Amino acid sequence: MDGIGDRVRIHTGDITRLAIDAIVNAANSSLLGGGGVDGAIHRAAGPELEFECRMLNGCRTGDAKLTKGYRLPARYIIHTVGPVWQGGRKGEAELLASCYRRSLELAAANDCRTVAFPAISTGIYHYPKDEAAGIAARTVSTFIEQKTMPETVIFCCFDDQMAELYRQAVAALRKG
Ligand code: AR6
């Protein structure tokens, strides 16, 4: 796939450490914090983040909302709510794709050149990891083929196993 090669990167590590324009949070619909990457982001950003989140009136599954990054090295946090895996017949794939699209739209609207995603829904929400990586790779590549911003999208994987799944998902796209 044209363009995806130089504009998509796979990184293994803690997303809260990335000094980029925006990181995406795998939040829940309350936006008031939780476990997993959400807990890590709230801890690293500090209590002002929850204060701003309280004013957002939550977020629907598949949608996204933007806050400042506070004590994070990233300028913004884009909070999105992934679907809970319920077997695959409850619209989970479309909702997960929507998380990526809505987050990228917000990133572009806020002049973010570089944005990093965690593997949304693949932890506490139990989405099958390989399927989720495929949806992430396909949705991001379709978006960036059509738009100039964000310039670079990072798939931030917490461990090597997830990074390998993303490598395979991106390679599958390149083969067409
Ligand atoms: N950096 C990058 N990735 C991480 C980090 C980190 N610091 N910590 C975890 N991951 P999860 P979900 C990975 O459970 O499945 C919360 O309670 C993790 O290995 O954080 O969308 C929310 O409030 C996994 O691959 O999010 C919601 O209630 C991925 O991030 C619920 O969990 C997502 O795992 C959302 O569940």
Side-chain angles (χ1 to χ4, degrees):
M1 282 229 174
D2 256 288
I4 186 169
D6 46 348
R7 291 176 66 193
V8 174
R9 292 186 197 151
I10 298 162
H11 171 82
T12 308
D14 180 352
I15 202 166
T16 66
R17 307 292 290 274
L18 299 181
I20 55 176
D21 298 308
I23 64 167
V24 175
N25 182 16
N28 61 66
S29 54
S30 78
L31 297 185
L32 298 180
V37 70
D38 193 9
I41 287 172
H42 273 264
R43 278 194 298 280
E48 297 97 329
L49 173 60
E50 194 187 325
F51 194 78
E52 183 175 356
C53 284
R54 280 193 185 283
M55 300 194 287
L56 297 177
N57 287 320
C59 182
R60 293 206 181 128
T61 303
D63 202 358
K65 293 193 175 177
L66 180 134
T67 67
K68 290 187 276 188
Y70 298 98
R71 297 178 202 173
L72 287 179
R75 195 148 50 99
Y76 296 115
I77 305 164
I78 296 169
H79 306 263
T80 190
V81 183
V84 178
W85 178 254
Q86 298 179 77
R89 293 189 181 174
K90 296 276 168 80
E92 293 97 324
E94 185 42 46
L95 288 166
L96 186 60
S98 174
C99 288
Y100 285 91
R101 275 194 302 271
R102 289 288 303 125
S103 297
L104 291 166
E105 283 168 10
L106 276 181
N110 288 276
D111 295 322
C112 295
R113 291 181 165 199
T114 304
V115 54
F117 284 93
I120 300 162
S121 285
T122 65
I124 292 165
Y125 284 177
H126 290 299
Y127 208 108
K129 291 179 177 145
D130 53 345
E131 286 183 40
I135 289 168
R138 285 194 297 277
T139 309
V140 167
S141 76
T142 300
F143 189 95
I144 62 177
E145 275 172 5
Q146 293 166 358
K147 317 267 179 185
T148 55
M149 289 281 271
E151 289 170 355
T152 306
V153 175
I154 299 170
F155 291 126
C156 181
C157 303
F158 211 32
D159 56 39
D160 290 332
Q161 184 213 5
M162 185 63 84
E164 184 52 34
L165 292 175
Y166 271 94
R167 267 181 228 116
Q168 289 168 13
V170 170
L173 286 179
R174 287 191 183 127
K175 281 185 202 129

